[in-house]
Amino acid sequence: MKKILATGGTGYIGSHTVIELINDGYEVDIIDNLFNSKITVLDQIEKITGKRPTFFQADLLDEAKLDEIFRDGHYDTVIHFAGLKAVGESVEKPLEYYHNNITGTVYLLEAMKKYGVHEIVFSSSATVYGVQDNPEFVETMTTGMNLTNPYGRTKYFIEEIMKDYAIADPEFKATLLRYFNPIGAHESGLIGEDPNGIPNNLMPIIMCVAEGRIDKLHIYGDDYPTADGTCRRDYIHVVDLAKGHVAAIEHMKNGVEIYNLGTGTPTSVKEMVAAFEKASGKELPCEITGRRAGDLAEMWANADKAKRELGWQTTLNVDDAMRDTINYLNKVKE
Ligand code: NAD
Ligand code: UFG
């Protein structure tokens, strides 16, 4: 069984993936600086799986510490979740985003090279597609054009760095997973999305409104060319997404492989609100406001390649994600 190092493994997607890996028998270590996650996640992982992963509280930018971790760890594979991810903040602080996300990745690849670790799975994003004529995004589409923010560019640049590095090292295997919109929580209710600070994305904002921490959801525009006028996205349950990483680890190939991880089915903002209200039995205060700059009317994944080559497909839907989110919110309050 491969031994895995998960960077950013106490974060939202990382923690759910670590659980699926441990459940499948993998040994997983985590490195995270806890900038956007909490140490208590380790207790929850242990409660769910019966195993506590080895944890290094360290920054990827700390080269000496990274060297030590790789020297002693004897890893087969790295899953690289660690990164800053707030789109708006990246516009305000581009250098911090480039330094953290890109320099952090270069240091990671250098440590992998030094200690003979050849496999990496990288958390990329649908954001690399930018603006396309067709809202169904396929891996073969051109990327990096019309990107609207530094966060998205860090994902695009890191993908390109991986491709360049694969040319130089024939043993290198990189799988780039382009996530669509992850939502939901573990069915135990013990872990879920718990960002530090004010969230930017739809689902954490809905959670804050439900908890009364924000007074209402601002729906950013209802005059888009969609059936109900609100934007449509491909919301993927985080546990399905986590299982996509396990499938990727089992199918690593030489060179760079790219997979969309999404459901293939878009849901509008109004449909998301209705799904949350149905699952919670409560009305969610909303107000239609103006469009948010940079939003596409609609986009969703063509996830055929992941189904064909990884044998992976989603099994959970938006209603499942809403149920699990509400269960998580209730458990947090206990
Ligand atoms: P998250 O913020 O919950 O997790 C990221 C983790 O990385 C955090 O625990 C943070 O403390 C850690 N981290 C950040 N910089 C670090 C550094 N320099 N050294 C060590 N640890 C560091 O985010 P998430 O939602 O779990 O996202 C995981 C990855 O997936 C990110 O790379 C993100 O960009 C990508 N992604 C997320 C989404 C989404 O909507 N959540 C969509 C597409 C891609
Ligand atoms: N929305 C609202 N009100 C809010 C927040 C969001 O109406 O308060 C709407 C947005 O306008 C959009 C939809 O909800 O139509 C989803 O917005 P998110 O911010 O949750 O997600 P995005 O699709 O805009 O982008 C996110 C990440 C990107 C990433 C993309 C796909 O921020 O970096 O998912 O992974 F590329």
Side-chain angles (χ1 to χ4, degrees), residues 103-137:
T103 314
T105 302
V106 172
Y107 285 177
L108 182 66
L109 290 172
E110 281 173 350
M112 289 172 62
K113 182 178 178 201
K114 182 168 172 190
Y115 290 100
V117 182
H118 300 292
E119 294 187 5
I120 188 165
V121 175
F122 172 61
S123 300
S124 191
S125 167
T127 197
V128 300
Y129 290 108
V131 182
Q132 304 278 348
D133 294 334
N134 186 339
E136 182 178 64
F137 291 175

Side-chain angles (χ1 to χ4, degrees), residues 208-219:
C208 286
V209 175
E211 288 182 302
R213 289 200 279 142
I214 297 178
D215 63 343
K216 60 186 159 193
L217 170 71
H218 294 271
I219 295 179

Side-chain angles (χ1 to χ4, degrees), residues 135-200:
E136 182 178 64
F137 291 175
V138 191
E139 291 88 346
T140 47
M141 283 174 163
T142 310
T143 52
M145 306 287 282
N146 308 310
L147 302 186
T148 53
N149 59 79
Y151 164 73
R153 268 186 283 277
T154 69
K155 293 295 174 194
Y156 170 68
F157 291 148
I158 293 168
E159 286 200 355
E160 297 304 300
I161 289 169
M162 300 271 179
K163 291 179 196 167
D164 285 338
Y165 186 55
I167 294 168
D169 176 3
E171 280 186 273
F172 187 60
K173 298 175 182 175
T175 300
L176 314 180
L177 300 179
R178 293 181 180 156
Y179 309 159
F180 281 68
N181 293 55
I183 58 166
H186 192 263
E187 63 174 359
S188 65
L190 293 173
I191 57 165
E193 190 161 16
D194 184 18
N196 295 334
I198 301 156
N200 313 276

Side-chain angles (χ1 to χ4, degrees), residues 24 55 197 251:
D24 270 31
F55 177 66
H251 293 83

Side-chain angles (χ1 to χ4, degrees), residues 35-36 59-61 80-106 122 127 149-158 161 195-196 198-201:
F35 174 79
N36 198 37
D59 200 301
L60 287 183
L61 297 171
H80 182 28
F81 300 100
L84 299 174
K85 63 164 187 176
V87 171
E89 187 187 59
S90 79
V91 177
E92 310 292 321
K93 301 176 178 173
L95 299 183
E96 284 184 24
Y97 271 68
Y98 287 126
H99 190 46
N100 190 78
N101 293 5
I102 296 181
T103 314
T105 302
V106 172
F122 172 61
T127 197
N149 59 79
Y151 164 73
R153 268 186 283 277
T154 69
K155 293 295 174 194
Y156 170 68
F157 291 148
I158 293 168
I161 289 169
N196 295 334
I198 301 156
N200 313 276
N201 296 119

